[in-house]
Amino acid sequence: MSLRRHVLWLIAMLYACCSLGQTQDDQLKVATGKDYPPFISERFPQGGWSQAIVAKVFEHMGRDIAVDILPWDRALMWAGQNQYLGIYPYVYSDARAAQFLYSDPINYFPIRLYVTKASGITRLEQLNGARFCLPYGYNLGHSDDSLYSQLHWKVSHAADIQGCQLQVQKGWSDASLFNGYMQLDSIENNNVELVVLDQDLGTVALHFLIAKSYPDASQWMQKFNVALAAITASGERAKIDRHFKQILSELN
């Protein structure tokens, strides 16, 4: 190989390596949790409602994202260690707000409560002083303090939503929360009937989070919110919302 051809070959290889590095660097790493229908779920189109909106936000920003699906607590921990640009969808809590920036809401969901039919409970007021089960890592956002103080709930925890459902069925808890968009799952080998109370407890917002320690965190969050506002103004977000609400109406 001539010296000129050798130099050109080295330049080409260096360019290819640099280009590859730039492509990898340009792909932003984000993370979400496991199976939180209808917002994050393989059973829904585009991986879920929140996933569809977040993907559209970054598409509007002109950025490619790599999405990792993790246990919720691990996603929170690793994002806090700056291994991810952001995580989603999470409700607000003061503890998380000390470490993370919160985006404008990407989704909302209605809160309902369920009890056993045998309990005879039909109204929220009957749950004064009740034992309330909440899955670890879950809360009701800003609704927590007012509900707990007004109704004097004694809060216990379970590993997940199904664990709380089992607690209520076995009588270890009197009630637990329910995403008003979905139906209660059945638990095998347990014939205790559950009923959902008619009263809504309001809505809870879901957010995209960025660790405050992440490089240029405030600028990234500003970009995210600007893009979210843009797809809202253009009607793209409303189109996604209508699509998922239609799916949910057909499921229910």
Side-chain angles (χ1 to χ4, degrees), residues 190-236:
N190 198 322
N191 295 320
V192 178
E193 187 176 353
L194 299 173
V195 293
V196 180
L197 301 187
D198 289 335
Q199 293 163 280
D200 278 335
L201 301 184
T203 57
V204 170
L206 295 171
H207 305 266
F208 185 87
L209 276 59
I210 299 177
K212 293 178 179 179
S213 59
Y214 192 87
D216 302 320
S218 296
Q219 291 90 329
W220 278 114
M221 186 57 79
Q222 183 180 16
K223 290 178 182 179
F224 184 94
N225 284 333
V226 167
L228 180 62
I231 68 168
T232 301
S234 69
E236 294 172 283

Side-chain angles (χ1 to χ4, degrees), residues 111-130:
I111 305 172
R112 306 282 288 279
L113 294 180
Y114 65 84
V115 297
T116 62
K117 186 175 183 180
S119 70
I121 295 171
T122 58
R123 302 187 315 279
L124 185 63
E125 293 76 14
Q126 293 174 271
L127 286 169
N128 189 41

Side-chain angles (χ1 to χ4, degrees), residues 32 38-52 69 244:
T32 186
F39 305 109
I40 300 294
S41 176
E42 294 179 352
R43 293 172 283 170
F44 283 81
Q46 298 173 267
W49 195 346
S50 295
Q51 178 61 43
I69 300 175
F244 279 91

